[in-house]
Amino acid sequence: MSPKALSGNYFEDFEVGQRIRHSTPRTVTDGDVALYQALYGSRFAVTSAATFAASCGQDRMPLDSLLVFHIVFGKTVPDISLNAVANLGYARGVFGVPVYPGDTLSAHSVIEGLKENSSQRTGVVYVHTLGENQHGELVLDYHRWVMVNKRHPASLTPDPVIPDLPKVVPIDVLHVPWQIRPDAYDILLAGSPYLWDDYDIGERIDHVDGTTIEEAEHMMATRLYQNTAKVHFNQHAEGQGRHGRRIVYGGNIMSVARALSFNGLGNALSVAAINGGTHTAPTFAGHTVYAWTHVLDRMALPGRDDIGALRLRTVATKDRPCHDYPYQDDHGKYLPDVTLDLDYTVLIPRRRTGPRSS
């Protein structure tokens, strides 16, 4: 057969320090925004209404932070995780300038670590990815690690290199695009009376609602991001594998959980950082996702009295409402119903901006 068709990289094909410029830049459109809204039902006002975005200092309505994440992530899949078993986790993700319809996003990555697994059939690849817009401005800078199949179990692999990644993104590197004038923020239109000052460290919020994942929807969502990983699309291959089914792209669970979090965190304007995250178990079509959030920290932003930051830990479960549900057993192992554990930072207006009722 002709060698023109590529089968993707296997674990043996990566080297520490390797730089990869990913193909297929992506111009985002209003259609992408509408489809994202249809898939997840997100209700955050700043990404739903141009007029509300303008009241928060934006010339236009920006994309949801996680839509930006997924588009940049999707650029990396053909080179990094086409032959992946699972995407395992994230660290030090920082969102940059806002992205608007009409912007073109591209990405490049550096391999920063490799570690063969004890089975010798797979290995973990540590990747640092940067996404940029058409002006060369940074829209996203993040690290992830992914389990990738080896081409041949007997292949020799290099000594393990595991990068030392921070557990928390420092407050002083956060990009804050919002500008809110005194008394200009309308909490009724936002859909929540609770601002930065109203959250307590240690508080736990059950987001109550659940969303069932449909086969066609998770396939469409993953296509929207041009994520070509085989585990999400090829039932013929996956039907013969460990699970016997296509796995839902973990980013879909992140977006479902973020949409559910509106009920309790409706004034969270955007995700400013992903401090860390783990996809703890696979999710399949037919599962219903629930979520709850633990407030880890409430942080003042240097020189800002209109906006603050909340460090949050959102846990998503499948087919298990979250009320009084622990996510780990006595030995610190995730319970089987847990599918996502995400530590992230959001930007949220402070009390001096309101309340305003109309």
Side-chain angles (χ1 to χ4, degrees):
M1 296 293 288
S2 170
K4 291 186 175 66
L6 303 178
S7 59
N9 290 317
Y10 289 84
F11 182 74
E12 301 99 309
D13 299 321
F14 295 104
E15 297 179 359
V16 174
Q18 180 181 357
R19 295 179 177 273
I20 303 172
R21 187 182 182 193
H22 303 296
S23 64
T24 317
R26 174 73 179 276
T27 300
V28 295
T29 68
D30 290 321
D32 293 309
V33 174
L35 184 52
Y36 186 86
Q37 194 92 347
L39 289 166
Y40 304 112
S42 177
R43 291 183 286 155
F44 294 96
V46 288
T47 53
S48 297
T51 50
F52 197 95
S55 74
C56 297
Q58 296 293 308
D59 294 332
R60 291 180 287 158
M61 188 176 73
L63 270 65
D64 187 284
S65 306
L66 291 185
L67 177 53
V68 175
F69 175 87
H70 298 322
I71 290 173
V72 173
F73 184 102
K75 301 296 97 193
T76 73
V77 171
D79 298 309
I80 304 297
S81 46
L82 188 65
N83 295 304
V85 178
N87 191 51
L88 300 177
Y90 312 96
R92 202 190 181 283
V94 182
F95 290 87
V97 300
V99 176
Y100 305 98
D103 284 344
T104 297
L105 305 186
S106 59
H108 61 277
S109 297
V110 178
I111 305 303
E112 56 183 355
L114 295 168
K115 181 182 180 297
E116 183 184 39
N117 290 326
S118 59
S119 68
Q120 297 186 316
R121 295 182 178 277
T122 60
V124 178
V125 181
Y126 296 83
V127 188
H128 179 199
T129 296
L130 297 99
E132 298 177 336
N133 65 16
Q134 68 274 20
H135 305 298
E137 297 169 314
L138 195 68
V139 301
L140 177 62
D141 176 343
Y142 76 102
H143 304 253
R144 70 162 169 143
W145 48 103
V146 55
M147 187 187 303
V148 178
N149 282 308
K150 291 180 67 177
R151 183 179 283 105
H152 304 293
S155 297
L156 296 177
T157 56
D159 292 335
V161 174
I162 301 176
D164 184 17
L165 298 172
K167 295 186 180 300
V168 181
V169 175
I171 192 78
D172 58 355
V173 305
L174 299 182
H175 184 86
V176 186
W178 312 103
Q179 298 284 341
I180 301 179
R181 301 184 309 276
D183 302 322
Y185 191 84
D186 193 326
I187 57 175
L188 287 184
L189 292 182
S192 171
Y194 304 114
L195 301 174
W196 180 83
D197 316 70
D198 302 315
Y199 292 90
D200 297 320
I201 296 173
E203 182 177 0
R204 177 170 150 167
I205 305 164
D206 181 357
H207 300 303
V208 181
D209 306 306
T211 295
T212 301
I213 305 293
E214 301 291 350
E215 198 81 80
E217 290 175 346
H218 90 81
M219 296 277 289
M220 183 180 295
T222 310
R223 289 193 190 101
L224 177 65
Y225 317 129
Q226 297 176 315
N227 179 337
T228 56
K230 300 173 184 177
V231 294
H232 306 316
F233 289 112
N234 192 333
Q235 181 58 40
H236 178 252
E238 293 307 306
Q240 303 169 54
R242 173 186 172 191
H243 299 293
R245 300 184 64 186
R246 291 164 288 187
I247 298 173
V248 174
Y249 161 51
N252 285 329
I253 308 305
M254 293 166 61
S255 283
V256 169
R258 163 79 170 149
L260 292 173
S261 76
F262 178 87
N263 189 357
L265 288 162
N267 288 306
L269 300 172
S270 62
V271 178
I274 296 176
N275 301 300
T278 303
H279 296 294
T280 59
T283 303
F284 303 99
H287 281 142
T288 298
V289 176
Y290 297 88
W292 60 265
T293 294
H294 182 198
V295 180
L296 300 179
D297 201 0
R298 191 178 68 183
M299 302 167 288
L301 295 169
R304 300 293 297 265
D305 64 356
D306 60 333
I307 298 284
L310 295 177
R311 182 184 171 197
L312 307 173
R313 182 180 198 173
T314 292
V315 175
T317 60
K318 49 188 180 179
D319 294 345
R320 179 69 183 256
C322 294
H323 179 64
D324 292 334
Y325 178 61
Y327 61 93
Q328 292 176 324
D329 63 19
D330 294 338
H331 304 288
K333 184 178 180 180
Y334 287 104
L335 296 174
D337 297 326
V338 175
T339 186
L340 174 70
D341 184 358
L342 187 65
D343 180 335
Y344 60 111
T345 301
V346 299
L347 302 175
I348 184 168
R350 295 182 63 166
R351 178 55 65 187
R352 80 150 179 92
T353 65
R356 188 170 85 107
S357 60
S358 62

